[in-house]
Amino acid sequence: MQNRLVLTATVEREDILRYTPAGVPVLDMWLRHHSRQQEAGVERDVICEIQGIMAGDACREWAGKLAGQTVRVSGFISQRSLRNSRLVLHIEYVEFVKG
Amino acid sequence: MQNRLVLTATVEREDILRYTPAGVPVLDMWLRHHSRQQEAGVERDVICEIQGIMAGDACREWAGKLAGQTVRVSGFISQRSLRNSRLVLHIEYVEFVKG
């Protein structure tokens, strides 16, 4: 069951590193994407905003460095919780790109 | 500016083929994904629902055949409109997979 999103986006906001009750570090951020994409032979503007969540030791390296940056992220999407169907991106990989 | 989602999902609902004012055929569908994914070394349940939109001549072939099927789709995500930030998947590619 595939589930993979690759997105180039600007980090509009980055929260302070938090820890789950089990001690896992988690970094929450808000991503904004803007591009031109082809659809049915016509080029169109595409805008989207999605919350990104990075969990695990790797996010310690990124904490405090992402706000305002343009990044390429990849990971899987899920609804935020059983009761909240809003989509969030669980980030497995991130790298800086030139904005 | 990359923007690509690949998702295996069940088509929960498929609308009747419609046409834009410019005469472009459009197929709207609702996708439900359920899988197990790794996050920070722990396996977790992942559920998400997202509207899929297919536009262009190719969607004529798919009309009426998707409801209830398991498919692998790929395309780009965008917010539904300037005023509605809900994410939709603009499907560029679809194939049946064994459910």
Side-chain angles (χ1 to χ4, degrees), chain B residues 16-85:
Chain B
I16 291 172
L17 192 69
R18 63 178 171 90
Y19 289 82
T20 68
V24 177
V26 177
L27 196 56
D28 296 292
M29 68 194 79
W30 279 261
L31 303 163
R32 184 179 171 79
H33 166 90
H34 184 194
S35 67
R36 303 276 292 172
Q37 303 285 338
Q38 288 273 341
E39 183 175 51
V42 178
E43 198 170 76
R44 51 166 288 170
D45 250 329
V46 170
I47 292 172
C48 65
E49 292 188 344
I50 188 168
Q51 183 184 347
I53 299 177
M54 204 187 310
D57 289 335
C59 72
R60 281 208 192 90
E61 300 167 32
W62 293 99
K65 297 175 185 159
L66 291 167
Q69 301 295 319
T70 301
V71 292
R72 184 178 302 114
V73 292
S74 64
F76 61 88
I77 59 168
S78 77
Q79 61 184 45
R80 185 187 292 215
S81 67
L82 280 175
R83 287 191 205 167
N84 185 339
S85 67

Side-chain angles (χ1 to χ4, degrees), chain A residues 1-4, chain B residues 4-11 29 31-33 54 62 66 69-75 89 91-99:
Chain A
M1 297 300 256
Q2 279 187 281
N3 179 342
R4 163 101 354 201
Chain B
R4 163 94 5 192
L5 174 64
V6 181
L7 194 70
T8 306
T10 303
V11 180
M29 68 194 79
L31 303 163
R32 184 179 171 79
H33 166 90
M54 204 187 310
W62 293 99
L66 291 167
Q69 301 295 319
T70 301
V71 292
R72 184 178 302 114
V73 292
S74 64
L89 171 60
I91 298 171
E92 294 169 326
Y93 180 79
V94 57
E95 63 179 0
F96 290 123
V97 297
K98 306 253 175 188

Side-chain angles (χ1 to χ4, degrees), chain A residues 1-8 24 33-35 37-40 44 46-50 55-56 72 76-79 85-87 90 92, chain B residues 1-8 24 33-35 37-40 44 46-50 55-56 72 76-79 85-87 90 92:
Chain A
M1 297 300 256
Q2 279 187 281
N3 179 342
R4 163 101 354 201
L5 174 64
V6 180
L7 194 70
T8 306
V24 177
H33 167 89
H34 184 196
S35 67
Q37 302 285 339
Q38 287 273 342
E39 182 174 51
R44 50 166 288 170
V46 170
I47 292 173
C48 66
E49 293 189 343
I50 188 168
R72 183 179 303 115
F76 61 88
I77 58 167
S78 78
Q79 61 184 44
S85 67
R86 197 163 182 87
L87 296 175
H90 293 264
E92 294 170 326
Chain B
M1 295 301 256
Q2 280 188 281
N3 179 342
R4 163 94 5 192
L5 174 64
V6 181
L7 194 70
T8 306
V24 177
H33 166 90
H34 184 194
S35 67
Q37 303 285 338
Q38 288 273 341
E39 183 175 51
R44 51 166 288 170
V46 170
I47 292 172
C48 65
E49 292 188 344
I50 188 168
R72 184 178 302 114
F76 61 88
I77 59 168
S78 77
Q79 61 184 45
S85 67
R86 198 161 181 89
L87 296 175
H90 294 263
E92 294 169 326

Side-chain angles (χ1 to χ4, degrees), chain A residues 12-52:
Chain A
E12 296 263 295
R13 187 179 124 201
E14 180 196 336
D15 272 4
I16 291 172
L17 192 70
R18 62 181 172 91
Y19 290 83
T20 68
V24 177
V26 178
L27 195 55
D28 296 292
M29 69 194 79
W30 280 261
L31 302 163
R32 183 179 172 80
H33 167 89
H34 184 196
S35 67
R36 302 278 293 174
Q37 302 285 339
Q38 287 273 342
E39 182 174 51
V42 178
E43 197 169 76
R44 50 166 288 170
D45 249 329
V46 170
I47 292 173
C48 66
E49 293 189 343
I50 188 168
Q51 183 184 349

